Amino acid sequence: MCVQIKCFHEIITIGYNVYHSYDLPWFRTLSWYFLLCVNYFFYGETVTDYFFTLVQREEPLRILSKYHRFISFTLYLIGFCMFVLSLVKKHYRLQFYMFGWTHVTLLIVVTQSHLVIHNLFEGMIWFIVPISCVICNDIMAYMFGFFFGRTPLIKLSPKKTWEGFIGGFFATVVFGLSRARECLWRPGLCPLSYVMSGYRCFVCPVEYNNDTNSFTVDCEPSDLFRLQEYNIPGVIQSVIGWKTVRMYPFQIHSIALSTFASLIGPFGGFFASGFKRAFKIKDFANTIPGHGGIMDRFDCQYLMATFVNVYIASFIRGPNPSKLIQQFLTLRPDQQLHIFNTLRSHLIDKGMLTSATEDE
């Protein structure tokens, strides 16, 4: 939340200074108001989704959850009406510029930071490994570019070179994928994905426990985080001399994460560079001496977080039985009975439930 607010502040301040919006009525007030509205909407959705049982048990939260989207829309309409009422004849165009500036900033910063929260709830490993891949790529691209860089990569960033880009790619993929045999006798060579896959506190999602009335990070690790043996293709066997290798399936997924971090992730930085060049500024702010603003450090991270969220939804996450049961218990008895009969008929058709079992 702190990072998100600071990034929003940096971009809004640039618009405030570039367009000389000092005389615009309510501009800053409305910008922060819209930030509050959007956060209320997103975090309300998150609370309802992940802590459904707790929300249903507390009467105030249950009411807020039931009418959450209507309340969110009402709050936004209030801000919209305030903007219309603030329009001044001499500043129409400038005010609409800033209205658009605020909404694009909300889209870039708040929406993507909300996806970071969702990644955290899936397990810390989905937060730490992607961030580390971006950092690794940034460092290794700089190192390869510094020592071997000769060919310019893109005009937006004259110091970026193809040598650094390619070198950073291979270094990041190696960082994301470890060789299990090396980890047995050289623990220092084990990248993050291998080490973290062995700890429940990193791989387990955050869940609300009704019995203890608390949030827990403890589970039976899925197959994604269990060591498995893989056969190595014959061509590669002749080179490395191994027939099989033991590794976590997550390490295979980490190849996709590290590939995105090194090939597509830098374009978040290029986008930020183009933005700064368009408005003739060096950094988003001077929050971090020598590094610029917080947004200068998170330009690639936001893009990476969005990819991770889409990747989990597309290839990793399946239906959550506990969430389905929670929603099932909130239905009316006749609705529950209808679902029960439908499920029973389905299991009988599949042969998983016999007529004798049904009679019992």
Side-chain angles (χ1 to χ4, degrees), residues 139-214:
I139 295 173
M140 298 311 297
Y142 172 80
M143 296 292 291
F144 276 93
F146 181 82
F147 289 105
F148 308 106
R150 296 291 184 274
T151 311
L153 175 63
I154 188 170
K155 293 182 179 179
L156 288 173
S157 298
K159 294 183 180 180
K160 305 289 185 182
T161 63
W162 276 104
E163 290 80 3
F165 185 78
I166 297 172
F169 163 71
F170 285 107
T172 306
V173 172
V174 171
F175 174 81
L177 177 68
S178 67
R179 291 178 291 177
R181 295 194 180 187
E182 286 187 352
C183 287
L184 296 177
W185 56 279
R186 287 186 186 178
L189 293 178
C190 293
L192 215 54
S193 60
Y194 185 90
V195 176
M196 293 180 66
S197 294
Y199 293 89
R200 295 188 179 187
C201 59
F202 291 123
V203 304
C204 291
V206 178
E207 293 185 350
Y208 180 75
N209 191 313
N210 293 315
D211 299 327
T212 61
N213 194 30
S214 62

Side-chain angles (χ1 to χ4, degrees), residues 7 40 110 143 146 243 274 335 344 346-347 356:
C7 289
Y40 175 81
V110 182
M143 296 292 291
F146 181 82
K243 293 184 178 180
Q335 294 174 322
R344 182 179 59 183
H346 175 75
L347 292 176

Side-chain angles (χ1 to χ4, degrees), residues 8 12 16 20-35 75-88 91 94-100 102-103:
F8 180 83
I12 287 297
Y16 190 77
H20 304 288
S21 308
Y22 309 106
D23 299 325
L24 289 186
W26 299 3
F27 166 62
R28 285 198 168 183
T29 302
L30 283 172
S31 296
W32 289 103
Y33 177 81
F34 282 125
L35 176 66
L75 291 173
Y76 180 82
L77 283 181
I78 293 173
F80 180 81
C81 294
M82 289 172 61
F83 168 74
V84 174
L85 293 173
S86 70
L87 291 174
V88 180
H91 300 294
L94 181 56
Q95 286 180 289
F96 278 101
Y97 276 158
M98 300 316 300
F99 185 77
T102 299
H103 281 68

